């Protein structure tokens, strides 16, 4: 049986849309929402409640609805949508939810994007007040953006059958929208919800661009768009939500807000039922009752909680045979899957629909988000905007005003005021439309609940939270609404308490015996309505989520089967497994080849900073713990940097390129941080220094060529270079030609082996890499990755900043006192080295650990304890393992660790808890391989 | 998303900026002349007022310049911005 009226509503009755709900096929029309189409088919039961499993239906017609949550299954599965805001399309498949949805296991194929927009005046809400505000500002010449969450403008007018200027209100709306859309500089956005309002006129709005097209949505069009609007002035014309009254068993399907039933009638041509009781505290429900009666609904009774019913409206009701009883209350309902009877005192009235109106809550969410203060209006029983903000005005029923003419006048004033504040002069006044509405008197009774069974008197229908829950909270001593919200979860569901929050506050105030005006309302937070993470992520998904940096040699690594390690945004070769190899076997092979013959790696990601200027040396002397200004041109020095607290922040080499020019290298992950560090000191402390710093990380491809045969390989590709130990000393550099390409070759080593670092412009990196591979063939040259680099340096006790160190390790802790200048009067961190804390003998210091069983590999991060049996907790921890590897060169496993008083414990046996066992380890110096440094010169 | 008026670039979104803590905490002239406590005051201790607060900001994703700003810590309103080396302007919160 259809519940559709024979005519009326802005639906296309000539077109049928097929859809499936809970497995049953139905039809509706373009213009329907899923909710209106279901009601037209007599379906009121949408889902069941999250905790109690009680049937729930449709309470409101719009985004304030607390109950009609559905999972849409086709074209793409999406959870937690409101049936009242899902526009119907052909082929829609949905089912009702019990509070929780299910995320699709499939990746979402839709596109999402974001767009920036700047304007003079933003108007939120295209109801009568917002339309007049936008038109006033637009006629003044302001750039105006008008956003509205509905698929058409009109706001509350969409749900009534009223006349403006003696013609249907839709015609007036259409004229205003047409003028706005044809005015240059005006942007009208439909299906767009302003969901967040932030500082300095920043507003986020979500536009649903293709949802209503269903299967016909073009794949190339972004489904949702987040508008990032920056506006000088804002007019909030966000309207008001009708609120219910709480009574026993107030949650059955068929119990609906009166104005929402009126909206279903006028906008969709849908009747909520055939026999209705109306329960109200104010005039507005009378208009709903009269309209529904005229459309054929049997209005059994109007129960008006006020002592006296309004005279004129009562007369109108009497003329239609509608009984009105004043001073009475609905005390309960009966029914199973739908309301079947309403209890008024001791009378039971059979019906299939109960319409409720407890008054109106202005929608103040955005105003509150913009830090506008709210004020309690005791006549309205709602929080309304307090003082206007310098850049935010409120107009229409969002202020608590109910009369249409007063609302449009506020819209005109707000639009003119906003335009003026944005620097425009409003011209002639926009004429206000004459209205004939008759249910707008502010004469309501503030009524939160009718006493009855507290356990079935639902305050938040989505959360299944009842009056009993609220009283339990106040009974437990809670007084703040914020606390009670968290205790009861009222207002924390998808609807954020749009219809329940005010009532909860009212019941709390009654229970505590305080005035609501003294209660601080809960804070409104974005988003106003649900926004998907996909929409917020926009295009920043998958490979666009974060930039990926690769070196110029990267294609070779890929071609040769390298596995990669992410270091910051860089992709670095981790190791190059050969068939059948795992990490350990590959790394042992790479290490052995490098120490016994020659290996090479791609070190291009190393941070490089070009430091120039007359005072460059003086500046580096302050940044590094050792002296840099004394370095001769052509030489290289290793250096450590500390913070003012004396803790190591980075290390690397410094190359003196010229009298006033240095090239500084940093660890891969710290390149940007160290450049920032340099700029901070230069700009804020030493602006008088003549120093300029530039990142040149990506200008250079850097290839360490490592191992006893590296000299032979280099000689083969650098014919102009004298590679002898005498001509090319350790820690010096030469400019030459490598593989026909201009190159800077540095003799530095991060492995203890004879090694060269070949630097060429990034453009030539791949060519030179291939030439080195070719020239190294006779020696079995082996490419190696970061893992082998880590093992080789650990065998030599070289720390990696960020692995051996956190923010609590000094150069002295690392055994690097040799890198700390005694001569310099000052450098960053120096004064901290003299603090008592820095000189405690029990500081954690870097040492080597050799497991007594040479096959045992300690997990990195393991704790270290002193005894071979764990005492009762708390157990004193001596430190932790920072690096741990099997070593080809040592023929066993080894580790580096930070250990309390570690330098004094060399030779001691300590214990490392690994799962259930305590592994004995011997403490050694951190340098485990080639302590004499015999291999450095090849 | 607040707008921060960079003294070099004009108003830009806060995501372009990096916070640098309290302003006008100069690196001591001669750290070696300070007691441990005086040095610790410089390294570890900063003001935390409720109200106007002079701070350092860097326009790190813009002109990369450091500058100073007076911010009301209660409202986040920026009451003044000024360049490094300039004195802190008088503000009314
Ligand atoms: Zn700037």
């Amino acid at each position: 049986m259809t519940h559709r009226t024979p005519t009326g509503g802005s639906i296309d009755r000539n077109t049928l849309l097929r859809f499936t709900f809970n497995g049953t096929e139905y039809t509706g029309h373009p213009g329907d929402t899923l909710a209106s189409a279901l009601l037209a088919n007599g379906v009121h039961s949408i889902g069941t409640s999250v905790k109690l499993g009680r049937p729930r239906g449709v309470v409101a017609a719009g985004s304030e609805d607390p109950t009609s949550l559905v999972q849409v299954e086709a074209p793409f599965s999406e959870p937690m949508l409101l049936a009242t805001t899902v526009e119907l399309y052909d082929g829609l498949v949905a089912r009702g939810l019990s509070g929780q949805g299910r995320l699709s296991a499939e990746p979402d194929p839709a596109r999402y994007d974001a767009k920036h927009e700047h304007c003079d005046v933003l108007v939120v809400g295209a109801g009568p007040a917002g339309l007049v505000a936008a038109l006033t500002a637009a006629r003044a010449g302001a750039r105006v953006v008008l956003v509205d969450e509905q698929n058409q403008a009109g706001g509350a007018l969409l749900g009534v059958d009223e006349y403006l200027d003696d013609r249907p209100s839709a015609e007036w709306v259409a004229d205003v929208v047409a003028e706005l859309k044809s005015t240059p500089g005006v942007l009208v956005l439909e299906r767009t919800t302003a969901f967040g309002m932030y500082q300095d006129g920043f507003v986020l709005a979500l536009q649903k661009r293709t949802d209503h097209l269903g299967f016909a949505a073009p794949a190339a069009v972004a489904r949702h768009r987040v508008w990032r609007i920056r506006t000088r002035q804002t007019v909030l014309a966000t309207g008001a939500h009708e609120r219910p009254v709480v009574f026993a068993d107030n949650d059955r399907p068929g119990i609906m807000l009166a104005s929402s039933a009126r909206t279903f009638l006028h906008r969709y041509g849908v009747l909520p039922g055939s026999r209705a009781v109306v329960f109200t505290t104010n005039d507005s429900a009378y208009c709903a009752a009269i309209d529904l009666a005229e459309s054929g609904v049997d209005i059994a009774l109007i129960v008006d909680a006020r002592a006296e019913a309004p005279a004129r409206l009562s007369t109108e009701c009497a003329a239609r045979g509608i009984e009105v009883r004043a001073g009475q209350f609905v005390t309960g309902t009966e029914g199973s899957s739908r309301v079947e009877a309403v209890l008024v005192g001791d009378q039971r009235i059979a019906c299939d629909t109960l319409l409720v109106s407890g008054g109106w809550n202005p929608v103040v969410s955005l105003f509150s988000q913009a830090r506008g203060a709210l004020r309690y209006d005791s006549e309205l029983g709602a929080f309304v905007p307090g003082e206007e903000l310098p850049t935010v005005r409120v107009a229409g029923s969002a202020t608590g005003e109910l009369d249409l003419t007063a609302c449009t006048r506020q819209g005109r004033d707000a639009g003119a005021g906003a335009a003026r504040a944005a620097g425009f002069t409003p011209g002639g006044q926009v004429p206000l439309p004459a209205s004939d509405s008759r249910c707008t008197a502010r004469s309501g009774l503030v009524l939160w609940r009718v006493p009855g069974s507290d356990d079935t008197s639902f305050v938040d229908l989505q959360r299944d939270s009842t009056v009993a829950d609220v009283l339990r909270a106040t009974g437990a001593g809670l007084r703040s609404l914020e606390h009670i919200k968290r205790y009861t979860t009222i207002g924390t569901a998808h609807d954020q308490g749009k219809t329940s929050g005010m009532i909860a506050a009212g019941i709390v105030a009654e229970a505590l015996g305080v005035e609501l005006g003294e209660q601080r309302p809960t804070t409104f937070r974005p988003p106003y309505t649900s926004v998907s993470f996909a929409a917020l992520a926009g295009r920043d998904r998958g490979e666009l989520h974060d930039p990926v940096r690769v070196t110029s040699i990267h294609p070779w690594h890929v071609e040769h089967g390298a596995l990669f390690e992410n270091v910051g945004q860089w992709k670095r070769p981790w190791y190059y497994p050969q068939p059948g190899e795992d990490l350990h076997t590959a790394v042992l092979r790479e290490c052995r080849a490098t120490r016994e013959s020659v290996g090479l790696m791609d070190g291009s990601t190393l941070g490089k900073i070009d430091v120039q200027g007359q005072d460059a040396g003086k500046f580096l002397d302050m940044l590094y713990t050792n002296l840099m200004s004394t370095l001769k041109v052509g030489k290289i020095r290793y250096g450590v940097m500390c913070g003012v607290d004396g803790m190591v922040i980075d290390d690397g080499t410094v190359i003196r390129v010229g009298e006033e020019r240095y090239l500084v290298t940093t660890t891969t992950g710290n390149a940007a941080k160290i450049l920032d560090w340099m700029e901070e000191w230069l700009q804020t402390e030493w602006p008088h220094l003549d120093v300029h710093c530039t990142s040149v990380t990506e200008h250079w491809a850097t290839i360490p060529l490592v191992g006893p045969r590296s000299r032979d390989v280099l000689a083969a590709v650098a014919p102009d270079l004298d590679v002898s130990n005498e001509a090319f000393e350790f820690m010096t550099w030469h400019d030459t030609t490598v593989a026909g390409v201009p190159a800077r070759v540095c003799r530095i080593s991060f492995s203890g082996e004879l090694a060269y670092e070949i630097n060429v412009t990034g453009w030539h990196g791949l060519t030179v890499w291939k030439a080195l591979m070719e020239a190294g063939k006779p020696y079995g040259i082996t490419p190696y990755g970061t893992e082998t680099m880590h093992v080789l340096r650990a065998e030599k006790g070289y720390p990696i900043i960020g692995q051996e160190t956190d923010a609590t390790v000094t150069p002295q802790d690392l055994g690097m006192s040799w890198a700390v200048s005694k001569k310099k009067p000052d450098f960053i961190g120096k004064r901290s080295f003299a603090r008592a804390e820095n000189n405690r003998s029990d500081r954690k210091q870097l040492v080597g650990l050799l497991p007594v069983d040479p096959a045992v590999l300690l997990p990195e991060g393991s704790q270290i304890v002193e005894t071979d049996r764990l005492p009762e907790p708390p157990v004193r921890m001596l430190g932790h393992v920072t690096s741990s590897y099997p070593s080809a060169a040592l023929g066993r496993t080894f580790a580096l660790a930070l250990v309390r008083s570690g330098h004094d414990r060399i030779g001691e046996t300590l214990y490392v808890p690994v799962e259930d066992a305590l592994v004995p380890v011997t403490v050694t110096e951190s340098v485990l391989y080639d302590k004499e440094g015999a291999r450095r010169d090849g | 998303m607040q707008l921060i008026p960079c003294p070099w670039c004009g108003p830009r979104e806060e995501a372009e900026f990096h916070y640098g803590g309290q302003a006008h905490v100069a690196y001591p002239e001669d750290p070696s002349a300070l007691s441990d406590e005086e040095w610790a005051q410089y390294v570890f201790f900063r003001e935390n007022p409720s109200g106007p607060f002079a701070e350092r900001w860097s326009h790190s994703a813009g002109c990369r310049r450091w500058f100073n700003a007076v911010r009301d810590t209660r409202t986040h309103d920026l009451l003044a911005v000024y360049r490094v080396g300039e004195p802190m302007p008088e503000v009314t919160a």
Side-chain angles (χ1 to χ4, degrees):
Chain A
M1 164 189 171
T2 180
H3 297 263
R4 195 77 77 169
T5 56
T7 58
S10 37
I11 51 169
D12 173 10
R13 289 171 188 262
N14 297 320
T15 306
L16 271 190
L17 302 177
R18 293 162 298 114
F19 70 100
T20 305
F21 184 74
N22 284 350
T24 307
E25 287 195 20
Y26 301 99
T27 60
H29 300 293
D32 264 326
T33 61
L34 175 58
S36 71
L38 285 171
L39 295 182
N41 285 282
V43 179
H44 276 253
S45 211
I46 302 294
T48 52
S49 71
V50 64
K51 279 193 288 194
L52 304 172
R54 289 170 70 107
R56 293 283 161 78
V58 176
V59 171
S63 62
E64 75 275 29
D65 182 48
T67 46
S68 70
L69 284 179
V70 298
Q71 174 107 15
V72 167
E73 301 286 10
F76 184 76
S77 185
E78 194 174 9
M80 303 293 277
L81 300 179
L82 273 177
T84 55
T85 60
V86 172
E87 293 184 48
L88 195 67
Y89 51 81
D90 199 48
L92 173 70
V93 179
R95 57 183 183 80
L97 286 177
S98 168
Q100 285 173 340
R102 173 180 43 81
L103 284 171
S104 171
E106 302 295 314
D108 185 349
R111 289 171 75 115
Y112 298 83
D113 70 8
K115 198 167 174 181
H116 290 263
E117 184 67 33
H118 294 79
C119 61
D120 300 308
V121 178
L122 169 69
V123 179
V124 181
L131 286 171
V132 173
L135 193 60
T136 303
R139 285 190 183 173
R143 286 177 305 166
V144 174
V145 173
L146 172 63
V147 302
D148 187 88
E149 68 173 349
Q150 305 285 336
N151 60 3
Q152 53 183 314
L157 296 173
L158 296 169
V160 298
D161 184 24
E162 287 178 4
Y163 277 62
L164 289 177
D165 288 342
D166 297 323
R167 54 185 181 145
S169 59
E171 291 181 16
W172 177 82
V173 170
D175 283 354
V176 175
V177 171
E179 180 177 341
L180 286 170
K181 285 188 172 172
S182 64
T183 306
V186 174
L187 179 64
V188 178
L189 295 172
E190 284 130 8
R191 298 187 173 92
T192 305
T193 305
F195 65 82
M197 187 152 189
Y198 306 84
Q199 276 170 297
D200 297 328
F202 188 63
V203 176
L204 291 178
L206 180 77
Q207 183 182 25
K208 297 190 171 174
R209 302 173 76 212
T210 64
D211 283 1
H212 60 290
L213 301 174
F215 289 86
V221 176
R223 176 182 179 230
H224 291 176
R225 171 172 288 170
V226 173
W227 288 82
R228 300 175 179 174
I229 302 167
R230 182 74 70 171
T231 181
R232 290 181 201 279
Q233 294 285 321
T234 303
V235 177
L236 297 175
T238 43
H241 291 145
E242 193 168 25
R243 67 165 178 265
V245 178
V246 173
F247 45 84
D249 296 313
N250 58 332
D251 63 328
R252 298 188 201 283
I255 303 178
M256 191 183 283
L257 289 164
S259 67
S260 292
R262 198 178 177 206
T263 297
F264 281 117
L265 169 66
H266 293 303
R267 185 167 175 185
Y268 306 104
V270 171
L271 299 174
S274 37
R275 182 173 157 85
V277 171
V278 179
F279 178 34
T280 187
T281 64
N282 63 92
D283 285 4
S284 66
Y286 283 81
C287 278
I290 291 167
D291 288 0
L292 287 165
E294 287 182 351
S295 300
V297 177
D298 174 14
I299 304 292
L301 176 65
I302 296 180
V303 182
D304 193 326
R306 294 174 289 186
E308 274 183 54
R312 194 167 63 87
L313 289 168
S314 296
T315 312
E316 282 193 47
C317 287
R320 291 168 178 84
I322 303 172
E323 184 189 351
V324 177
R325 278 192 223 163
Q328 297 205 15
F329 305 90
V330 167
T331 53
T333 68
E334 292 174 1
S336 52
S337 66
R338 179 164 179 181
V339 63
E340 287 161 20
V342 168
L343 308 177
V344 180
D346 45 18
Q347 195 186 349
R348 181 184 181 281
I349 302 157
C351 62
D352 62 3
T353 305
L354 171 57
L355 304 181
V356 183
S357 177
W360 294 84
N361 296 333
V363 177
V364 295
S365 177
L366 293 177
F367 184 76
S368 173
Q369 287 179 29
R371 300 194 195 179
L374 302 180
R375 174 177 64 78
Y376 181 66
D377 182 331
S378 58
E379 192 186 30
L380 210 58
F383 288 105
V384 297
E387 246 177 82
E388 246 173 26
L389 299 171
T391 59
V392 183
R393 291 165 170 73
V394 187
S397 55
T399 66
E401 183 55 68
L402 298 178
D403 178 70
L404 185 61
T405 306
C407 285
T408 50
R409 186 175 299 114
Q410 286 181 340
R412 188 168 69 187
D413 292 348
R420 213 172 283 121
F424 298 86
T425 311
Q429 287 209 329
V430 172
L432 301 182
S435 156
D436 68 344
S437 71
R438 59 202 194 289
C439 294
T440 57
R442 280 172 64 104
S443 53
L445 169 77
V446 175
L447 176 69
W448 310 118
R449 67 178 184 121
V450 179
S453 163
D454 292 343
D455 283 327
T456 62
S457 295
F458 290 90
V459 178
D460 186 330
L461 271 63
Q462 184 53 229
R463 287 290 187 232
D464 267 345
S465 298
T466 63
V467 171
D469 294 321
V470 176
L471 298 181
R472 206 169 289 131
T474 55
L478 302 182
R479 299 183 67 85
S480 140
L481 291 176
E482 292 285 2
H483 293 160
I484 291 164
K485 172 178 175 175
R486 282 153 184 78
Y487 190 88
T488 60
T489 72
I490 289 172
T492 61
H494 70 280
D495 61 333
Q496 293 286 291
K498 289 182 177 65
T499 54
S500 60
M502 194 61 236
I503 293 174
I507 295 172
V508 167
E510 276 179 6
L512 297 176
V514 299
E515 292 295 320
L516 249 172
E518 293 160 17
Q519 282 278 59
R520 192 172 155 174
T522 55
T523 308
F524 290 87
R525 291 189 180 84
Y528 171 69
T529 49
S530 304
V531 179
S532 70
F533 282 111
L536 293 174
R539 301 289 293 276
D540 303 337
R541 290 165 65 179
E543 60 179 13
L544 295 181
H545 173 61
D546 199 33
V548 171
R549 299 172 81 184
V550 296
T551 72
S552 58
I553 310 166
H554 188 76
W556 192 96
H557 307 318
V558 174
E559 209 174 297
H560 290 79
L563 296 183
F564 291 90
E565 179 183 22
N566 293 325
V567 182
Q569 292 167 333
W570 286 106
K571 294 275 175 211
R572 298 199 70 180
W574 185 20
Y575 62 102
Y576 299 79
Q578 291 188 349
E581 282 186 338
D582 62 6
L583 170 72
H584 282 299
T585 48
V587 169
L588 285 173
R589 171 183 53 76
E590 291 174 8
C591 285
R592 192 174 293 119
T594 303
R595 288 227 186 271
E596 291 173 6
S597 182
V598 60
L600 84 174
M601 78 172 298
D602 184 353
S604 305
T605 62
L606 206 66
K608 306 171 200 81
I609 302 170
D610 191 349
V611 181
Q612 298 188 40
Q614 279 178 23
D615 299 315
K618 202 193 253 184
F619 174 60
L620 295 179
D621 280 350
M622 281 304 287
L623 286 191
Y624 284 97
T625 58
N626 45 359
L627 266 170
M628 292 300 171
S629 56
T630 56
L631 193 62
K632 300 270 180 297
V633 174
K635 301 263 186 185
I636 302 170
R637 192 166 285 165
Y638 171 80
V640 175
M641 273 189 211
C642 292
V644 288
D645 57 0
M647 302 303 160
V648 176
I649 58 172
D650 203 44
D651 71 343
T653 55
V654 176
I655 297 170
R656 186 138 197 187
V657 182
E659 277 308 319
E660 298 184 0
R661 187 171 190 184
Y662 295 79
L663 184 76
V664 166
T665 67
T666 73
T667 49
T668 293
N670 271 349
K673 193 177 121 185
I674 295 303
L675 182 63
D676 286 347
W677 178 245
M678 291 177 166
E679 281 294 337
E680 180 179 341
W681 285 96
L682 279 175
Q683 290 185 33
T684 65
E685 288 293 342
W686 308 314
H688 55 281
L689 293 184
D690 173 37
V691 181
H692 298 276
C693 304
T694 306
S695 167
V696 293
T697 300
E698 297 185 287
H699 301 39
W700 296 94
T702 301
I703 307 169
L705 181 67
V706 180
R709 307 313 293 265
S710 59
R711 183 174 283 138
D712 303 301
V713 178
L714 180 62
V717 290
D720 303 338
L721 188 65
D722 182 347
V723 296
S724 70
N725 199 39
E726 297 69 39
F728 196 164
E729 289 178 63
F730 185 58
M731 296 305 265
T732 65
W733 59 268
H734 290 280
D735 280 350
T736 184
T737 303
V738 172
V741 170
R744 173 168 299 153
V745 183
C746 302
R747 232 197 103 187
I748 53 179
S749 178
F750 196 41
S751 59
E753 300 295 329
L754 172 69
Y756 302 87
E757 186 191 83
I758 298 156
N759 294 277
V760 296
T761 62
W763 184 255
H764 294 299
L766 189 53
T767 314
V768 171
W769 176 275
K770 286 179 178 167
L772 290 167
M773 285 301 296
E774 188 60 33
K777 258 190 189 161
Y779 313 101
I781 192 167
T782 301
Y784 68 86
T786 50
E787 189 69 15
T788 290
M789 172 189 79
H790 282 183
V791 177
L792 297 177
R793 64 86 208 179
E795 289 166 345
K796 288 291 292 177
Y798 299 151
I800 288 195
I801 306 307
Q803 179 153 343
E804 267 64 42
T805 68
D806 46 26
T808 67
V809 179
T810 66
Q812 295 83 356
D813 297 337
L814 294 174
M816 287 190 172
S817 298
W818 56 267
V820 178
S821 168
K822 309 270 185 304
K823 290 184 217 155
K824 288 195 286 185
D826 194 26
F827 55 83
I828 294 171
K830 180 181 168 80
R831 176 63 184 84
S832 289
F833 295 154
R835 293 177 67 229
E837 180 65 29
N838 288 54
N839 290 288
R840 288 167 58 142
S841 60
D842 63 346
R843 289 190 63 81
K844 288 183 185 169
Q845 296 161 332
L846 184 68
V847 293
L849 296 182
L850 293 175
V852 171
D853 178 347
V856 169
L857 183 67
L858 302 172
E860 290 178 353
S862 298
Q863 296 291 323
I864 299 161
V865 299
E866 199 152 20
T867 51
D868 63 355
R869 206 167 301 164
L870 285 183
E872 283 299 301
V875 182
R876 184 167 180 248
M877 300 296 169
L878 296 181
H880 69 279
V881 175
T882 58
S883 294
S884 175
Y885 312 99
S887 164
L890 303 176
R892 54 161 301 136
T893 60
F894 74 106
L896 296 177
L898 286 170
V899 176
R900 271 194 199 289
S901 311
H903 295 161
D904 292 336
R905 290 182 186 270
I906 309 290
E908 280 185 25
T909 301
L910 297 176
Y911 298 88
V912 176
V914 179
E915 289 171 9
D916 291 335
L918 281 178
V919 177
V921 297
T922 307
V923 181
T924 71
E925 288 176 14
S926 55
V927 184
L928 288 156
Y929 181 71
D930 185 30
K931 286 180 192 166
E932 318 71 43
R935 307 187 58 84
R936 191 190 78 186
D937 296 332
Chain B
M1 177 90 72
Q2 191 167 7
L3 287 178
I4 296 179
C6 170
W8 304 91
C9 306
R12 295 289 187 277
E13 299 203 332
E14 68 177 274
E16 295 181 16
F17 294 83
H18 180 82
Y19 183 62
Q22 184 178 355
H24 308 299
V25 182
Y27 186 76
E29 198 94 356
D30 180 7
S32 67
L34 301 183
S35 68
D36 271 11
E37 192 183 329
E38 288 166 333
W39 177 248
Q41 283 290 338
Y42 165 72
V43 175
F44 300 114
F45 289 77
R46 294 293 182 270
E47 300 296 318
N48 184 22
S50 170
F53 187 40
E55 306 169 325
R56 306 185 315 156
W57 286 85
S58 161
H59 192 189
S60 45
C63 64
R64 298 187 55 76
R65 289 287 220 155
W66 283 88
F67 61 92
N68 294 325
V70 183
R71 181 177 62 101
D72 190 326
T73 59
R74 296 162 303 187
T75 61
H76 298 304
D77 288 344
L78 287 165
L79 307 175
V81 293
Y82 53 107
R83 297 178 185 186
V84 170
E86 292 177 353
M88 178 178 152
E90 299 250 330
V91 295
T92 44

